[in-house]
Amino acid sequence: MTSEWGEKSTAELMSRYVSKEPGHGVPKEGWRICLAHEFKEKRKPFQANNVSLSNVWNHIGLGVRYLIWWYKKTQVEKKAPFIDMFRAQPLRQIYGAPLGGIGGGTITRGWRGEFCRWQLNPGMYHFKTVIANQFTVCLRRGGQTVYQQVLSVERPPTLQGWNWGFCGEYAFYHALYPRAWTVYHLPGQNVTLTCRQISPVIPHDYQDSSLPVAVFVWDVENKNDYDLDVSIMFTMVNGSGHKDDKSGGHWNEPFHLEKDGEAVSGVLLHHCTTVNPYTLCIAAREQPDREVSHQTAFSPKGTCRDLWNDLITDGRLDSPTGSSPPTLKGEKVAAALAVGCLVPAHKHNSLEFCLAWDMPKITFGSGEREHFRRYTRYFGIKGDASPSLSHYALTHYKQWESSIEEWQKPILQDSSLPSWYKSALFNELYFVADGGTVWVDLSKDDDVSGGVRSEDGGLPAQPAVVKEYGRFAYLEGQEYRMYNTYDVHFYASFALIMLWPKLALSVQYDIAGSVVQQDLTERLHLMSGLRSPVKTKNVVPHDVGDPDDEPWQRVNAYLIHDTADWKDLNLKFVLQVYRDFHLTLDRQYLQDMWPICQAVMESEIKFDQDGDGLIENSGYADQTYDGWTVTGPSAYCGGLWLASLCVMCKMARLLDESEEYQHYKDFLDRGRAAFDRLLWNGKYYNYDSSGRQLSNSVMSDQCAGHWFLKASGLGDEEYQVFPKEKIQSALKSVFDLNVMSFADGQMGAVNGMRPEGVPDRSSVQSDEVWIGVVYGLAATMIHEGMWAEGMRTAEGCYRTVWERLGMAFQTPEAYCEKNIFRSLAYMRPLSVWAIQLAVNMSQEVSTAAAKTEDNKT
């Protein structure tokens, strides 16, 4: 199942590991890399200067308008643009699995051990490595320290009193999200350390999954003939490396909490900013054979030799009482926590730490409203929850791990699935927590549909699902700062509906509530240069807002295009409504959504200008690739339209709406015939029906409508829209051309390919590979029995991103064959879970067929 070039790619990541130590309890499956590895290929982000001359000419008006808008935003308003074309994030090939649950903020720990990416303020990222945040090991024998080492390969210019530069050839990192392992074989010491980090990201769990905590379990293996005393010290700066670390007024204090017969102690680091203040907490579990000690405060600058010597003297810290004074402006303060234990000869022991952060009340950039994070429902809103959070984490993490293993085990043990796929499936889930994610409770005055009630085609003010499970939002990307970007969520939503279905439904209620509202404030749209309303009624919004403004209150942060013309947004809403019902069987949800589906479909029908049952496209209305103009019905939007008509028929049947059934069935019958007549060329569906020179380009995503029908249990018999033989022929054409004729078949499927086998370069994005689209394509192939082709297609993207380009835990929206990538850490690749849905459905069909055969015999 795994290709020869793929096996070589995997082996390369570990080629510099010289030790034979496998570590303690490290699983076989996942993403593994030696800490000494260096990625050979260095890519640059797509920026304005990467646009070809022909496309510059086509977009010169957009360029001028964007530049004016960008200057006003950055220089006058002093705000960050929702997309910054001039200051894209450079590729840093350092990231590992993020820490923390869902919606409470995240801190990313790199695969070399650095704390390097911060999202504590909701949706706003800070990319800064805080070098003083480290783990240090101290080995003592017979009352004497024999070895003390910072477990980092770095050699920073600061903190020179510490022993830096651990040899990366003796360590490796292994990620299987939401857990990760780092194995250190201490050179010359015959000791192996395995640090296991656990975050509470647990499917179908809506309490513990919201907690802003992570646990570090250090397993110590002593292979010597003598006992060792082993201490691990955890150091943490009060802050995130941001300039406000020096704003003054921050302070630390030790704490001890005993509850239910279990005790934890540590240090609280109070970060007292004016907006969104928070408390960091480093803690350890107290046990009879463990010694916990601390240093309340130290200055993380200069040599910092005093702290180092404090530990080296006796393997513990001084543990002063009382809090530290508030910092002066310009000062930083840090804290340290050490835990020690005896590890007998040829035995194993473990040490447990917790990192927690408590920012219960949040305001977004506008500062207009205060929101309470989901976890405050269980731990309160006062900002004093860090001790309780750390106590809960340290006494419950074993239950979390049991739940995680129970969830992952059937997939990990499925020998029909290749190893790279198992890594992709779980590790791409990082974005559910680290997508600038917010998860908040509704306040008493929140109204998801702006006062438009069910009897008027709207919704209850607070639908039961939203009231019980809260509001959820994640960014289009860490660099594309718009929440719940709906055309992208269409792909990513498979992860939510399969693992946290209540959150998926909550997002749908929020979108539906926005559909029935309008904001007639006129604004300039940068692509056309025309002014039009922010949001019109009965149209799905592009997004629910910018975290630097006020999400949910002001939608459509995206102002490049007038999203009222994006026909696919409405269609994607309808398709998701039925798919979600199919997977949850929530009839109340179906009944609530039906009138809104009717409204958005009727707003689409007006685009059937010639009465053939197909909606027309013009300009950018297809929302496929920027700059790739669509004229007339297209494979992508036309396919989504027919699939939407099909699910409207199905929903009408379920709700006994016979007249509505016939209404949509008439459109479907006419549209199906027109679709084939206008777009089918004998091998695949043309990009569009304009007859222009490039209208017969092969679009990788041309079967998206059929994909959603299959994922919804439709697409056959009465609800077959696209003939099976044509779908399979189209998929074969895409595989032969977009996959195997592109980059030697090793980089996934390029968006657009000419029938002669060269990429379509007519637009800015047509020669890109969109990882999330490729995963959806692979799922479609598997639904159609093309298992090998589907896996080969998806494998190319995984290998490129995770093994070749060093983009682990920051999978981009897109890359080109050479040199360029675009938009790191993007939402769409969560669509890898669509592959798993297809696998599940395929296996169910096989099992059912086998039972039928057994019954016959």
Side-chain angles (χ1 to χ4, degrees):
M1 183 70 68
T2 298
S3 61
E4 184 178 336
W5 53 271
E7 291 177 352
K8 182 179 179 182
S9 174
T10 300
E12 178 68 22
L13 297 181
M14 283 292 288
S15 63
R16 294 187 65 181
Y17 186 59
V18 298
S19 172
K20 302 297 183 185
E21 291 296 326
H24 182 83
V26 183
K28 173 188 174 185
E29 307 293 358
W31 181 71
R32 184 173 296 192
I33 186 169
C34 175
L35 266 61
H37 183 76
E38 293 184 11
F39 290 97
K40 296 173 184 176
E41 188 166 349
K42 312 291 182 184
R43 290 208 167 194
K44 293 183 178 181
F46 177 90
Q47 298 196 84
N49 60 353
N50 296 118
V51 181
S52 68
L53 286 176
S54 60
N55 280 307
V56 165
W57 182 254
N58 291 336
H59 293 86
I60 195 164
L62 167 64
V64 171
R65 287 185 287 271
Y66 178 84
L67 183 59
I68 295 169
W69 172 84
W70 181 91
Y71 181 84
K72 181 182 177 184
K73 178 66 70 172
T74 59
Q75 305 304 309
V76 179
E77 298 177 18
K78 303 298 182 183
K79 290 269 195 175
F82 70 93
I83 297 177
D84 196 331
M85 287 295 294
F86 299 109
R87 294 186 294 210
Q89 280 296 318
L91 175 61
R92 301 172 71 206
Q93 298 164 316
I94 65 172
Y95 296 116
L99 306 169
I102 299 171
T106 44
I107 300 171
T108 296
R109 190 161 177 250
W111 52 268
R112 292 190 178 96
E114 60 272 73
F115 291 78
C116 52
R117 185 170 66 193
W118 306 77
Q119 189 259 140
L120 299 179
N121 280 320
M124 306 301 289
Y125 274 85
H126 180 57
F127 303 91
K128 178 73 174 181
T129 296
V130 181
I131 199 65
N133 293 353
Q134 297 291 344
F135 287 100
T136 296
V137 63
C138 174
L139 305 183
R140 292 175 57 78
R141 180 185 179 193
Q144 298 292 318
T145 296
V146 295
Y147 181 87
Q148 187 161 300
Q149 173 73 49
V150 182
L151 294 170
S152 169
V153 299
E154 302 293 333
R155 296 180 182 273
T158 59
L159 306 175
Q160 289 294 301
W162 297 8
N163 184 25
W164 295 91
F166 184 85
C167 180
E169 294 178 348
Y170 287 86
F172 71 86
Y173 177 85
H174 185 97
L176 189 67
Y177 188 76
R179 298 191 293 173
W181 295 254
T182 312
V183 176
Y184 304 87
H185 179 55
L186 306 184
Q189 305 305 311
N190 226 9
V191 171
T192 300
L193 307 176
T194 303
C195 175
R196 182 169 86 257
Q197 73 176 49
I198 306 116
S199 293
V201 178
I202 305 162
H204 306 286
D205 180 299
Y206 299 92
Q207 177 175 323
D208 289 6
S209 289
S210 72
L211 303 183
V213 298
V215 172
F216 300 94
V217 179
W218 287 85
D219 288 293
V220 185
E221 297 172 277
N222 179 9
K223 305 289 182 70
N224 293 293
D225 295 328
Y226 47 82
D227 297 351
L228 285 171
D229 290 303
V230 180
S231 298
I232 300 287
M233 179 175 71
F234 185 13
T235 51
M236 197 79 186
V237 171
N238 186 329
S240 62
H242 193 269
K243 62 183 180 181
D244 66 21
D245 293 1
K246 294 183 178 182
S247 62
H250 311 313
W251 58 285
N252 301 345
E253 63 172 327
F255 80 94
H256 171 86
L257 175 63
E258 190 164 348
K259 183 179 175 183
D260 300 327
E262 294 278 359
V264 299
S265 60
V267 184
L268 304 175
L269 297 82
H270 301 294
H271 199 75
C272 304
T273 50
T274 304
V275 178
N276 295 338
Y278 61 91
T279 297
L280 289 167
C281 171
I282 52 176
R285 192 175 184 175
E286 293 190 356
Q287 294 171 282
D289 55 349
R290 306 285 189 278
E291 183 171 21
V292 181
S293 58
H294 71 269
Q295 182 55 260
T296 307
F298 69 91
S299 175
K301 67 178 183 180
T303 65
C304 226
R305 191 175 300 277
D306 288 348
L307 180 70
W308 188 262
N309 290 340
D310 186 7
L311 183 67
I312 210 169
T313 300
D314 55 6
R316 64 184 305 279
L317 301 172
D318 281 349
S319 300
T321 59
S323 60
S324 69
T327 56
L328 300 175
K329 192 168 184 178
E331 288 183 344
K332 291 184 181 181
V333 67
L337 184 71
V339 186
C341 69
L342 174 69
V343 187
H346 298 287
K347 296 290 184 179
H348 153 267
N349 215 334
S350 61
L351 304 168
E352 302 167 339
F353 292 84
C354 176
L355 173 63
W357 51 98
D358 183 23
M359 183 192 285
K361 305 173 187 178
I362 56 173
T363 58
F364 293 105
S366 74
E368 294 173 17
R369 304 190 63 189
E370 191 172 66
H371 303 265
F372 300 126
R373 294 195 193 265
R374 169 72 175 183
Y375 75 88
T376 63
R377 179 177 291 204
Y378 315 105
F379 287 87
I381 64 173
K382 295 179 180 179
D384 59 0
S386 290
S388 297
L389 282 165
S390 58
H391 186 284
Y392 187 87
L394 287 166
T395 56
H396 286 77
Y397 79 86
K398 290 180 181 178
Q399 295 174 31
W400 298 343
E401 288 197 281
S402 177
S403 297
I404 291 166
E405 288 167 1
E406 184 181 355
W407 157 48
Q408 294 182 338
K409 188 176 179 179
I411 294 170
L412 298 178
Q413 291 186 344
D414 187 341
S415 59
S416 71
L417 300 173
S419 290
W420 67 263
Y421 169 74
K422 296 168 184 176
S423 173
L425 188 69
F426 294 114
N427 285 324
E428 290 288 8
L429 266 182
Y430 83 96
F431 196 85
V432 171
D434 202 20
T437 311
V438 289
W439 185 2
V440 298
D441 274 336
L442 284 176
S443 63
K444 290 181 180 179
D445 61 344
D446 279 331
D447 184 337
V448 302
S449 57
V452 184
R453 296 284 76 86
S454 302
E455 55 271 22
D456 298 315
L459 292 168
Q462 299 195 351
V465 167
V466 188
K467 189 172 184 178
E468 175 60 27
Y469 296 98
R471 273 182 150 165
F472 175 87
Y474 55 166
L475 297 175
E476 180 176 337
Q478 290 179 8
E479 295 187 81
Y480 283 18
R481 211 182 55 243
M482 296 158 284
Y483 273 134
N484 293 352
T485 298
Y486 201 71
D487 64 291
V488 183
H489 172 70
F490 176 73
Y491 296 82
S493 61
F494 282 87
L496 288 184
I497 195 61
M498 293 174 69
L499 303 175
W500 294 276
K502 302 299 186 184
L503 296 184
L505 298 188
S506 176
V507 169
Q508 286 290 87
Y509 273 105
D510 263 328
I511 293 294
S514 179
V515 167
V516 301
Q517 297 180 65
Q518 61 186 11
D519 179 353
L520 299 181
T521 306
E522 293 209 340
R523 67 175 180 184
L524 180 72
H525 289 93
L526 301 181
M527 178 63 77
S528 65
L530 301 176
R531 302 187 71 84
S532 59
V534 170
K535 167 73 174 65
T536 53
K537 193 173 182 180
N538 295 335
V539 172
V540 171
H542 173 273
D543 57 81
V544 300
D546 178 353
D548 205 21
D549 186 22
E550 193 59 48
W552 295 300
Q553 299 302 305
R554 283 187 289 279
V555 302
N556 279 342
Y558 186 79
L559 48 73
I560 304 295
H561 301 293
D562 182 354
T563 55
D565 289 336
W566 282 19
K567 303 179 188 67
D568 71 323
L569 294 173
N570 283 356
L571 309 179
K572 288 173 176 176
F573 175 78
V574 171
L575 289 169
Q576 285 187 73
V577 165
Y578 181 72
R579 181 209 56 190
D580 296 350
F581 168 75
H582 172 71
L583 294 176
T584 64
L585 299 179
D586 187 328
R587 195 165 184 86
Q588 183 61 55
Y589 167 75
L590 183 66
Q591 290 170 342
D592 287 343
M593 294 296 160
W594 171 247
I596 297 172
C597 288
Q598 288 178 289
V600 299
M601 287 297 284
E602 291 309 309
S603 74
E604 295 292 313
I605 284 174
K606 66 185 180 184
F607 293 105
D608 178 20
Q609 295 165 358
D610 54 10
D612 64 359
L614 273 186
I615 55 174
E616 304 294 321
N617 295 308
S618 60
Y620 298 89
D622 199 288
Q623 201 282 300
T624 47
Y625 312 129
D626 280 348
W628 202 356
T629 304
V630 184
T631 304
S634 69
Y636 184 74
C637 206
L640 294 176
W641 167 246
L642 295 180
S644 299
L645 290 169
C646 178
V647 302
M648 289 299 286
C649 291
K650 178 66 175 179
M651 289 190 286
R653 275 275 173 85
L654 289 169
L655 296 169
D656 295 322
E657 297 273 2
S658 55
E659 287 187 16
E660 292 299 303
Y661 170 84
Q662 196 58 51
H663 172 62
Y664 294 113
K665 182 69 164 55
D666 289 346
F667 268 97
L668 178 58
D669 290 343
R670 284 183 283 124
R672 191 161 39 195
F675 187 77
D676 272 5
R677 183 180 73 255
L678 294 171
L679 293 163
W680 181 250
N681 66 18
K683 291 185 177 180
Y684 59 87
Y685 295 103
N686 286 338
Y687 177 71
D688 68 19
S689 56
S690 66
R692 64 190 176 92
Q693 185 180 1
L694 299 175
S695 66
N696 64 340
S697 284
V698 187
M699 184 184 182
S700 64
D701 209 12
Q702 62 183 273
C703 297
H706 178 73
W707 163 42
F708 248 73
L709 290 180
K710 296 296 286 187
S712 303
L714 301 174
D716 296 307
E717 299 176 354
E718 181 184 357
Y719 295 99
Q720 183 183 70
V721 175
F722 308 94
K724 186 176 183 66
E725 66 276 8
K726 291 183 178 178
I727 288 292
Q728 293 192 337
S729 175
L731 291 173
K732 184 179 185 305
S733 296
V734 169
F735 183 73
D736 290 345
L737 290 167
N738 301 59
V739 179
M740 299 306 294
S741 298
F742 176 75
D744 297 323
Q746 297 181 12
M747 291 183 74
V750 68
N751 279 337
M753 182 66 89
R754 299 294 302 137
E756 59 269 24
V758 296
D760 185 324
R761 304 188 192 279
S762 63
S763 83
V764 176
Q765 297 171 358
S766 56
D767 65 344
E768 291 181 334
V769 175
W770 289 5
I771 297 91
V773 165
V774 173
Y775 287 154
L777 168 63
T780 314
M781 291 175 172
I782 291 169
H783 279 300
E784 287 301 318
M786 300 170 65
W787 181 284
E789 293 89 341
M791 286 296 178
R792 173 64 185 256
T793 298
E795 180 183 2
C797 282
Y798 173 81
R799 302 287 187 193
T800 300
V801 169
W802 289 78
E803 297 182 348
R804 178 178 146 199
L805 300 184
M807 294 176 174
F809 298 101
Q810 54 179 330
T811 304
E813 156 72 323
Y815 54 74
C816 293
E817 185 173 3
K818 297 178 181 177
N819 303 324
I820 301 298
F821 65 87
R822 186 167 57 78
S823 188
L824 289 170
Y826 199 77
M827 179 200 292
R828 201 184 321 249
L830 284 170
S831 61
V832 68
W833 278 87
I835 300 179
Q836 188 58 33
L837 179 62
V839 168
N840 292 347
M841 294 174 72
S842 173
Q843 291 174 341
E844 288 169 6
V845 169
S846 298
T847 301
K851 286 183 179 178
T852 301
E853 192 63 32
D854 288 344
N855 291 336
K856 287 180 180 179
T857 57

